[in-house]
C-alpha cells in the first residue's frame, strides 16, 4: 500500500498514482493546478540508509538534483518536507518525461546506424561533461535503462535516474551499489573508486551496445554478484570482440574499453573530441595486464597490479598566451591581482627590497560557471608561469596511501617545472573539512596537502584553488602561509556579459547586434550560460544557413534560464560574508603576548 493516496495534495501538486517503490522511496505521477504532469519522489527518512543522507539529514539525491540544469538531464522543479504517520518525509518534484527508454529501443531495433548512435551518446556526454566540469559530480549509473529518448524534444537523450550521483569517490560509495549493472561499470568501481573516467567508460560501453546490439563482455548472469564480477574482470583481460563494430568506430570503442587503462578516455570532453572525427582515432593496442607498466597510468583495474601508483599524468602548459586580455570584464579583479600578487611574483628584486614575502596561493570561489579555472589559466599566462590543472580524479587511487603519494609527486613535478601555477579545480573535493562526513576522504590526504602547501612559493609554486563551496574546505588549509588570499568571483556584471557576448560571437556570421540590450537581457547568467546561449543560437542559424540575428539571440536568451538561481545567490552571499570575515581575521596582527600553546 502506497503512502500517498490518489487526490492527495502535496504542495501545489495532486497525486494521481504510484509508479514504483522500494524500501525507502516511492515515485508518483502528480499534476499541477493546470493538469500538467510531473514526477514526485518521496523519501521516507526513517527507512533511508544513512549513507544516502548528508550530515545534516538532507537527502543527497535531492541536494544534487537542485544543482543540475541541462537539456540532457531530467529537470528539478521543487522539493520540501512533510509529516506522515511513518514520520518525516522529504520529497522532490521533477519534470515529467515522456518517450522511450534507450534499452527498449535497442531491444526492439537492435544495432543502430553510426550517426544515430553518435547522436545519442553525444547527448549523454554533454550531460556528463556538465556534471563533471561544472559541479564535480559523477552519475555512476550510465546504462541504457537510465537514458530516455524524449518525445518532447524529438528523441533527445536525457539522463533520468540520479539516485547514484556523488562527488568523486575513493573508498566506500555513498550510495547503494547492489543495483548497478556490472557490465557497464569500470573495474575500478568494484574497488570503490568512482570518477570522471569511470562514467566515460560506462558511456563507451553503452556506445558499444548501440552499435552491436550486445554487451561487450557476455558473462554468466546467473552467478552470485561477487563471482560475476570476478568473471567479468577476467574476461576484460582478453582482447575485445570488435567484429560487430562498424569500421569507422573501431578506434573509438577499442580505446574507450581498452584493458590498458592509460589508453582510455579520461574525460567526457576528450571522448567528444574523438567523436568529432572517429577516423583519426587509432585502435588501442591492448596488452595483457602482466605487461602493463604500473607507472604509466593513475588507476588500476587488476587485482594483481602494484600496491601503490604514484605517477601523475598531468600536462604542463607553458605560460604563453594573451593572459588577462582574453578575459571579458572583471577589471577590478585584474587590477587588484596586478597590485597585490602579480608584481611580487614578477619582480623578485623589488619584493626583496621592500621585504615582501611572495604569496603562497589564492582561493578563487563563487557560483559555478563563472570561469574560475579559466581565470586561473589566464593568470598563469599573465605571469608567464607554467600551468598545471588538477582535478580530484587525477590523484585518485584504489590503494591505501596511494593518493598521498600522488599529492607529493604532483608538487615535485610542479617544482621541477617552476615557476608553476598549480591549479586545483573544485578544491573542496581535495581537502574536505575533516569533521565533515560527506567526502569519504581520509584525513591523511588532507594532512599531506597541508605539508605540501606550507611555503610552497619558496619552491617556485603558486597555488590557485577554485571552489563553489569554500565553506566545505578544511579550515587549516585556508590559513596564511598556505592559501594567502581569498578572491570572490561573482556573476558577470553588465559590462562583463556584454564583452563575453562580443568575444563568443566574434568571427561568426552575425547581423548587427545590440550587445548592450543582449547583456541586459542576460542578467543573472554566468559565463557558461552565455557560452551555451551563443552556441545554441549559432547551431540554429547554421541549421537554417542564416546569420545570427538580434531576434534569434533574444529568443534564445528568453528560452534558457540562468543556471544559478536566486536562492543559490543568497547562499553565495552568505558564504562570501563568512569567507571575507575569515580573511580579515587571518590578516589582523597579533595583539599582546603570544604564548607557546597557540
Amino acid at each position: 500500500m502506497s503512502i500517498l493516496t490518489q487526490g492527495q495534495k502535496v504542495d501545489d501538486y495532486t497525486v494521481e498514482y504510484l509508479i514504483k517503490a522500494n524500501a525507502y522511496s516511492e515515485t508518483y505521477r502528480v499534476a499541477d493546478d493546470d493538469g500538467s504532469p510531473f514526477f514526485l519522489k518521496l523519501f521516507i527518512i526513517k527507512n533511508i540508509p544513512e549513507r544516502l543522507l548528508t550530515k545534516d539529514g538532507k537527502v543527497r539525491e535531492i541536494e544534487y538534483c537542485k544543482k543540475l540544469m541541462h537539456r540532457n538531464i531530467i529537470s528539478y522543479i521543487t522539493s520540501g518536507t512533510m509529516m506522515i504517520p511513518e514520520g518525516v518525509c522529504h520529497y522532490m518534484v521533477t519534470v515529467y518525461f515522456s518517450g522511450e527508454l534507450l534499452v527498449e529501443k535497442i531491444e526492439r531495433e537492435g544495432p543502430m546506424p553510426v550517426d544515430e548512435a553518435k547522436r545519442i551518446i553525444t547527448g549523454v556526454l554533454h550531460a556528463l561533461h556538465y556534471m563533471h566540469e561544472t559541479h564535480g559530480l559523477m552519475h555512476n549509473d550510465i546504462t541504457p535503462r537510465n537514458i530516455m529518448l524524449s518525445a518532447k524534444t524529438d528523441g533527445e537523450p536525457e539522463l533520468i535516474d540520479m539516485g547514484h550521483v556523488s562527488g568523486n569517490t575513493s573508498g566506500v560509495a555513498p550510495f547503494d551499489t547492489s543495483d548497478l549493472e556490472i557490465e557497464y561499470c569500470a573495474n575500478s568501481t568494484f574497488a570503490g573508486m568512482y570518477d570522471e573516467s569511470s562514467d566515460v567508460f560506462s558511456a563507451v560501453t553503452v556506445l558499444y551496445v548501440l552499435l552491436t546490439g550486445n554487451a561487450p563482455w557476455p558473462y554468466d548472469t546467473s552467478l552470485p554478484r561477487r563471482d560475476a564480477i570476478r568473471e567479468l574482470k577476467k574476461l576484460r583481460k582478453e582482447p575485445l570482440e570488435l567484429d560487430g563494430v562498424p569500421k569507422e568506430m573501431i578506434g573509438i570503442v577499442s580505446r574507450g574499453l581498452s584493458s590498458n587503462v592509460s589508453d582510455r578516455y579520461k574525460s567526457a570532453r576528450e571522448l567528444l573530441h574523438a567523436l568529432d572525427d572517429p577516423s583519426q582515432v587509432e585502435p588501442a593496442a591492448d596488452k595483457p595486464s602482466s605487461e602493463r607498466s604500473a607507472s604509466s597510468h593513475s588507476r588500476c583495474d587488476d587485482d594483481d597490479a602494484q600496491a601503490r601508483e604514484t605517477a601523475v599524468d598531468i600536462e604542463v602548459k607553458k605560460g604563453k598566451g594573451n593572459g588577462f586580455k582574453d578575459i571579458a570584464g572583471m577589471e577590478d579583479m585584474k587590477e587588484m591581482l596586478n597590485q597585490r600578487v602579480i608584481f611580487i611574483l614578477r619582480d623578485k628584486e623589488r619584493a626583496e627590497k621592500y621585504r615582501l614575502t611572495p604569496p603562497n596561493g589564492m582561493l578563487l570561489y563563487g557560483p559555478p560557471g563563472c570561469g574560475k579555472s579559466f581565470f586561473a589559466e589566464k593568470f598563469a599566462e599573465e605571469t608567464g608561469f607554467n600551468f598545471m590543472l588538477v582535478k580530484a580524479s587525477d590523484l585518485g587511487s584504489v590503494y591505501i596511501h596511494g593518493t598521498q603519494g600522488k599529492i607529493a609527486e604532483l608538487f615535485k613535478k610542479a617544482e621541477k617545472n617552476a615557476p608553476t601555477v598549480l591549479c586545483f579545480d573544485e578544491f573542496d573535493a581535495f581537502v574536505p573539512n575533516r569533521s565533515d562526513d560527506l567526502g569519504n576522504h581520509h584525513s591523511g590526504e588532507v594532512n599531506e596537502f597541508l605539508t605540501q602547501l606550507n611555503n610552497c612559493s619558496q619552491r617556485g609554486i603558486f597555488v590557485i584553488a577554485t571552489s563553489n563551496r569554500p565553506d566545505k574546505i578544511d579550515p587549516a588549509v585556508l590559513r596564511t602561509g598556505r592559501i594567502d588570499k581569498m578572491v570572490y568571483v561573482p556573476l558577470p556584471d553588465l559590462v562583463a556579459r556584454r564583452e563575453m557576448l562580443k568575444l563568443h560571437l566574434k568571427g561568426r556570421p552575425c547581423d548587427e547586434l545590440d550587445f548592450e540590450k543582449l547583456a541586459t537581457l542576460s542578467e543573472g547568467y554566468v559565463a557558461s550560460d552565455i557560452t551555451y546561449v551563443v552556441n545554441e543560437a549559432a547551431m540554429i542559424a547554421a541549421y537554417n544557413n542564416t546569420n545570427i540575428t538580434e531576434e534569434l539571440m533574444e529568443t534564445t536568451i528568453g528560452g534558457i534560464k540562468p543556471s544559478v538561481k536566486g536562492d543559490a545567490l543568497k547562499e553565495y552571499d552568505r558564504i562570501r560574508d563568512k569567507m571575507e570575515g575569515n580573511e580579515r581575521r587571518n590578516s589582523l596582527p597579533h595583539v599582546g603576548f603570544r604564548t607557546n600553546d597557540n
Side-chain angles (χ1 to χ4, degrees):
M1 182 177 177
S2 63
I3 290 175
L4 304 181
T5 58
Q6 186 176 12
Q8 183 174 346
K9 291 284 288 187
V10 179
D11 200 355
D12 296 327
Y13 301 90
T14 303
V15 176
E16 294 188 337
Y17 54 82
L18 176 72
I19 295 174
K20 63 179 181 179
N22 61 26
Y24 57 83
S25 70
E26 296 183 353
T27 302
Y28 297 84
R29 173 173 160 139
V30 298
D32 64 8
D33 293 338
D34 296 327
S36 300
F38 295 87
F39 285 112
L40 184 148
K41 190 169 184 179
L42 188 74
F43 297 87
I44 306 101
I45 297 301
K46 73 171 187 177
N47 294 344
I48 195 168
E50 188 175 350
R51 65 178 176 277
L52 304 187
L53 299 174
T54 66
K55 188 176 181 180
D56 54 358
K58 295 179 180 179
V59 179
R60 289 180 186 273
E61 183 176 347
I62 296 177
E63 296 307 300
Y64 290 142
C65 286
K66 284 180 181 179
K67 301 179 180 181
L68 302 174
M69 191 184 79
H70 191 276
R71 62 185 299 174
N72 298 113
I73 299 175
I74 187 66
S75 298
Y76 165 90
I77 301 296
T78 189
S79 58
T81 61
M82 61 184 297
M83 285 295 297
I84 59 171
E86 289 84 352
V88 178
C89 287
H90 292 199
Y91 65 85
M92 170 176 65
V93 178
T94 64
V95 167
Y96 187 85
F97 50 78
S98 60
E100 180 180 37
L101 288 176
L102 182 56
V103 67
E104 295 169 347
K105 182 178 177 67
I106 295 168
E107 289 173 353
R108 186 182 71 253
E109 299 180 5
M112 295 181 189
V114 169
D115 287 348
E116 176 72 355
K118 282 177 61 178
R119 181 188 69 82
I120 291 171
I121 212 66
T122 296
V124 171
L125 289 169
H126 279 304
L128 290 178
H129 175 67
Y130 166 78
M131 291 180 69
H132 296 164
E133 297 290 324
T134 304
H135 295 291
L137 295 175
M138 315 302 134
H139 187 276
N140 300 320
D141 194 16
I142 300 297
T143 78
R145 295 187 186 281
N146 291 334
I147 300 169
M148 170 68 74
L149 304 178
S150 173
K152 293 181 181 179
T153 54
D154 196 26
E156 183 79 9
E158 293 181 6
L159 301 182
I160 62 169
D161 190 340
M162 313 306 286
H164 296 84
V165 173
S166 75
N168 219 299
T169 299
S170 180
V172 179
F175 50 82
D176 185 10
T177 62
S178 64
D179 59 343
L180 294 176
E181 297 182 58
I182 63 173
E183 58 264 48
Y184 294 95
C185 297
N187 284 4
S188 56
T189 66
F190 303 141
M193 184 170 174
Y194 297 82
D195 59 15
E196 293 178 41
S197 65
S198 57
D199 265 356
V200 174
F201 177 89
S202 299
V204 180
T205 306
V206 172
L207 176 61
Y208 183 100
V209 174
L210 292 177
L211 295 170
T212 67
N214 300 303
W217 299 282
Y219 68 96
D220 186 353
T221 56
S222 66
L223 291 172
R225 185 177 181 83
R226 180 176 295 181
D227 294 338
I229 290 173
R230 188 177 294 115
E231 180 182 343
L232 186 60
K233 291 169 73 174
K234 187 181 298 184
L235 289 170
R236 287 176 176 173
K237 294 180 182 180
E238 302 300 323
L240 181 66
E241 177 58 60
L242 295 168
D243 287 347
V245 178
K247 184 177 179 181
E248 62 267 42
M249 297 298 289
I250 286 177
I252 295 279
V253 171
S254 68
R255 297 206 78 87
L257 301 179
S258 172
S259 61
N260 191 341
V261 182
S262 61
D263 284 339
R264 293 190 199 154
Y265 302 106
K266 296 178 176 61
S267 68
R269 185 203 300 266
E270 187 180 357
L271 180 52
L272 282 167
H273 286 166
L275 284 167
D276 282 343
D277 189 1
S279 64
Q280 299 301 310
V281 181
E282 292 293 328
D286 274 358
K287 299 177 182 179
S289 60
S290 60
E291 296 179 24
R292 298 181 205 156
S293 169
S295 63
S296 67
H297 55 81
S298 62
R299 302 173 185 87
C300 184
D301 282 3
D302 302 306
D303 293 334
D304 59 350
Q306 286 186 320
R308 189 178 298 173
E309 295 174 294
T310 56
V312 178
D313 185 18
I314 295 173
E315 180 184 4
V316 179
K317 292 185 179 180
K318 300 301 178 183
K320 298 178 181 178
N322 298 320
F324 284 168
K325 293 178 182 178
D326 288 339
I327 299 175
M330 297 187 179
E331 298 305 324
D332 290 344
M333 184 171 165
K334 295 175 193 174
E335 182 61 23
M336 181 275 291
L337 290 173
N338 270 313
Q339 291 182 7
R340 302 287 184 86
V341 178
I342 292 176
F343 96 89
I344 301 176
L345 294 173
R346 280 177 172 169
D347 195 338
K348 291 185 179 180
E349 288 185 9
R350 200 193 315 182
E352 282 185 24
K353 178 180 178 181
Y354 287 89
R355 296 185 180 180
L356 297 174
T357 304
N360 210 53
M362 68 178 174
L363 172 70
L364 302 179
Y365 70 96
C370 289
K372 295 183 285 293
S373 298
F374 178 73
F375 194 98
E377 183 172 359
K378 294 304 164 182
F379 178 95
E381 293 176 2
E382 190 73 15
T383 57
F385 283 24
N386 293 324
F387 180 73
M388 295 173 68
L389 177 62
V390 190
K391 299 181 183 297
S393 58
D394 294 324
L395 301 182
S397 175
V398 299
Y399 299 113
I400 296 172
H401 306 310
T403 296
Q404 289 173 245
K406 287 189 174 184
I407 295 167
E409 189 69 21
L410 173 69
F411 277 83
K412 286 181 183 177
K413 185 171 184 178
E415 184 177 5
K416 182 179 179 181
N417 291 278
T420 302
V421 168
L422 191 52
C423 177
F424 294 97
D425 194 31
E426 299 299 339
F427 198 45
D428 45 292
F430 293 92
V431 285
N433 194 323
R434 284 168 288 184
S435 65
D436 193 337
D437 69 346
L438 280 177
N440 294 300
H441 293 271
H442 299 293
S443 61
E445 295 169 13
V446 178
N447 290 335
E448 183 65 35
F449 259 108
L450 296 178
T451 299
Q452 295 295 336
L453 286 169
N454 281 331
N455 302 313
C456 63
S457 62
Q458 297 174 11
R459 300 155 62 189
I461 302 170
F462 184 74
V463 172
I464 297 182
T466 74
S467 177
N468 302 332
R469 291 304 304 264
D471 52 330
K472 300 294 184 183
I473 295 173
D474 194 280
V477 176
L478 301 179
R479 292 177 186 156
T480 49
R482 290 171 182 151
I483 301 296
D484 297 304
K485 295 201 69 63
M486 288 176 261
V487 180
Y488 182 72
V489 183
L491 267 65
D493 60 16
L494 179 68
V495 174
R497 295 195 302 275
R498 184 188 65 207
E499 297 307 310
M500 285 179 186
L501 286 162
K502 288 181 180 178
L503 192 64
H504 287 303
L505 285 161
K506 185 178 180 180
R508 305 192 198 227
C510 297
D511 285 355
E512 191 72 26
L513 299 175
D514 186 345
F515 286 102
E516 198 74 23
K517 182 179 181 182
L518 295 176
T520 301
L521 291 173
S522 59
E523 183 177 1
Y525 281 33
V526 297
S528 59
D529 292 335
I530 291 173
T531 302
Y532 185 81
V533 164
V534 172
N535 288 338
E536 190 75 4
M539 189 181 299
I540 294 169
Y543 182 79
N544 294 303
N545 199 24
T546 61
N547 281 358
I548 300 171
T549 65
E550 178 80 18
E551 181 183 5
L552 176 57
M553 284 297 298
E554 291 181 14
T555 301
T556 306
I557 290 172
I560 298 173
K561 296 179 182 178
S563 58
V564 182
K565 299 179 176 63
D567 289 346
L569 286 177
K570 291 179 183 177
E571 176 66 9
Y572 281 107
D573 285 340
R574 183 193 67 77
I575 292 172
R576 181 180 188 177
D577 289 343
K578 178 181 177 182
M579 299 305 293
E580 289 182 349
N582 286 344
E583 185 167 27
R584 284 193 296 272
R585 284 193 293 274
N586 281 342
S587 63
L588 289 173
H590 181 75
V591 178
F593 295 100
R594 188 177 299 277
T595 61
N596 291 329
D597 59 2
N598 296 319

